[in-house]
Amino acid sequence: MARTSGSQSAVTGPRIHATALRLFAEQGYAAVSMRQIAAEVGVQAGALYAYTTGKQALLFDLLRAASTDLSAAWEAAPKGSGSVAHLEAFARVEIGFRIDHPWAARLASSELRALAPDSLAAILTLRQRHEAALEAILRTGQAAGVFRIAEPRITALALLAMWSGVAFGYTDGIRPNRERVERIGWNLTRKAVGA
Amino acid sequence: MARTSGSQSAVTGPRIHATALRLFAEQGYAAVSMRQIAAEVGVQAGALYAYTTGKQALLFDLLRAASTDLSAAWEAAPKGSGSVAHLEAFARVEIGFRIDHPWAARLASSELRALAPDSLAAILTLRQRHEAALEAILRTGQAAGVFRIAEPRITALALLAMWSGVAFGYTDGIRPNRERVERIGWNLTRKAVGA
DNA sequence: GTCTATATGCTGATAGAC
DNA sequence: GTCTATCAGCATATAGAC
């Protein structure tokens, strides 16, 4: 990145966020310096502060966007009717999001610990609202006798982890076929909950 | 046994490893300083270098121990006969290890990225040997018609992730009942693979 | 084995020129 | 909006006294 001077705000802003997202997810928040982000974007470190108030704010913005993007994907998804259809829709949104946005998904699962307490609380509120939707699906299906599961809370955590395993397993290899990965993940899910 | 007044090597060495393991797992390798480790152990930073050649070596030793301890637990486990019994034994070892050694398990899943290339290769060799054992169980059961699964490799990654989800879900709450968590995890596993 | 002191370099962030 | 220059602090690691 060899650019030396000039004003590029419409380009630089998004590039800063995309670069920070990838580096934070790959190496961890604490291991990445503002100078490193700037170098990959192609500006000097001081220029970053025209777009963010600091490193912490950059992380918070990225984690908030990851949470709201995932929730928005779930809100927008076609859901069908019945607990089984709802669970399939949820599984496909979760797996698909991890395939389409691997850095955001990885950041959200590993760097919450780097947030200041107030920022952490804000992100956890967003996240818990989303996870509660999954737990509600499991409870409803359990009450209706459609799912045979021991504890909805633990089952939800197990499924979320499994969806990460499936999606990242493919992401680590060759370019994944999204429909195929979603189908494999859903088949494991359907059988695990006894549907 | 006569000892110099400030000398506590039999105590300090294990304490350094235990403290570094917990801090690295909780906060990430890059976020933890040698001064912080020393402070929690109760010595000055310079004293750490009587036990390790540096921060990188400390991480490598901890990750190697985590891998060999897990493999040793699998080698020592009673396995029964048949693919189903083998898979149950493997699942219980994996879940039990995560309950008994949560910091080691978390470190192994998140801080490989902080290793130098040569060290990383050494750890990956240990890990892949262990994961291959799981994949072999799945392939054998698949060939025998005992498991109904799409792809052993991806199924293995999905199961490993799910076991983490189950074990850490409980670890995050009150003190887990090991047998109970293993049983819930095994039930999900058994159904997911169609056994 | 542990301490204190220190070498050397990198960190996040800011100031002011253009 | 981006640059250069800089500040104050903390990082890993080492040297030498005890």
Side-chain angles (χ1 to χ4, degrees), chain A residues 111 148 151 180 191, chain B residues 111 113 148 151 180 191:
Chain A
E111 294 302 324
R148 278 173 296 176
E151 297 185 26
R180 172 173 169 70
K191 293 190 291 183
Chain B
E111 294 302 323
R113 64 189 176 191
R148 279 174 294 177
E151 297 186 26
R180 172 176 169 69
K191 292 191 291 183

Side-chain angles (χ1 to χ4, degrees), chain A residues 24-31 110-111 113 148-151 154-155 157-159 161-166 168-170 180 184 187-189 191-194, chain B residues 24-31 110-111 113 148-151 154-155 157-159 161-166 168-170 180 184 187-189 191-194:
Chain A
F24 286 166
E26 281 180 337
Q27 306 179 18
Y29 173 78
S110 67
E111 294 302 324
R113 62 189 176 191
R148 278 173 296 176
I149 53 180
E151 297 185 26
I154 300 302
T155 303
L157 293 174
L159 293 180
M162 190 180 72
W163 296 332
S164 289
V166 172
F168 294 151
Y170 275 100
R180 172 173 169 70
I184 289 176
N187 276 333
L188 286 167
T189 302
K191 293 190 291 183
V193 301
Chain B
F24 287 166
E26 281 180 338
Q27 306 178 18
Y29 172 78
S110 67
E111 294 302 323
R113 64 189 176 191
R148 279 174 294 177
I149 52 181
E151 297 186 26
I154 299 302
T155 304
L157 293 174
L159 293 180
M162 190 179 71
W163 296 330
S164 289
V166 172
F168 295 151
Y170 275 99
R180 172 176 169 69
I184 290 176
N187 277 332
L188 286 167
T189 301
K191 292 191 291 183
V193 300

Side-chain angles (χ1 to χ4, degrees), chain B residues 2-179:
Chain B
R3 230 183 334 189
T4 312
S5 81
S7 185
Q8 305 277 344
S9 96
V11 169
T12 304
R15 278 173 58 85
I16 288 171
H17 280 77
T19 303
L21 174 62
R22 178 173 50 81
L23 291 176
F24 287 166
E26 281 180 338
Q27 306 178 18
Y29 172 78
V32 176
S33 70
M34 294 295 269
R35 281 174 170 79
Q36 187 180 357
I37 296 168
E40 297 218 11
V41 170
V43 297
Q44 294 299 314
L48 299 180
Y49 293 86
Y51 298 90
T52 180
T53 58
K55 194 184 174 187
Q56 267 284 326
L58 201 45
L59 175 66
F60 178 71
D61 288 346
L62 293 169
L63 284 169
R64 185 178 47 190
S67 282
T68 57
D69 287 355
L70 177 56
S71 291
W74 167 238
E75 298 296 336
K79 301 184 179 64
S81 73
S83 294
V84 176
H86 274 66
L87 184 59
E88 175 169 3
F90 201 99
R92 286 179 178 271
V93 165
E94 292 285 327
I95 295 168
F97 183 83
R98 286 163 174 76
I99 292 173
D100 292 340
H101 308 287
W103 304 133
R106 287 173 189 271
L107 190 74
S109 76
S110 67
E111 294 302 323
L112 287 181
R113 64 189 176 191
L115 284 173
D118 286 357
S119 302
L120 175 61
I123 301 295
L124 286 181
T125 298
L126 295 173
R127 165 172 306 208
Q128 281 161 0
R129 192 178 310 156
H130 182 69
E131 289 183 6
L134 170 59
E135 207 176 320
I137 293 170
L138 293 174
R139 285 189 194 283
T140 301
Q142 183 187 38
V146 176
F147 300 150
R148 279 174 294 177
I149 52 181
E151 297 186 26
R153 171 79 187 136
I154 299 302
T155 304
L157 293 174
L159 293 180
L160 284 164
M162 190 179 71
W163 296 330
S164 289
V166 172
F168 295 151
Y170 275 99
T171 304
D172 286 342
I174 56 175
R175 179 61 139 285
N177 175 323
R178 185 181 157 143
E179 165 54 29

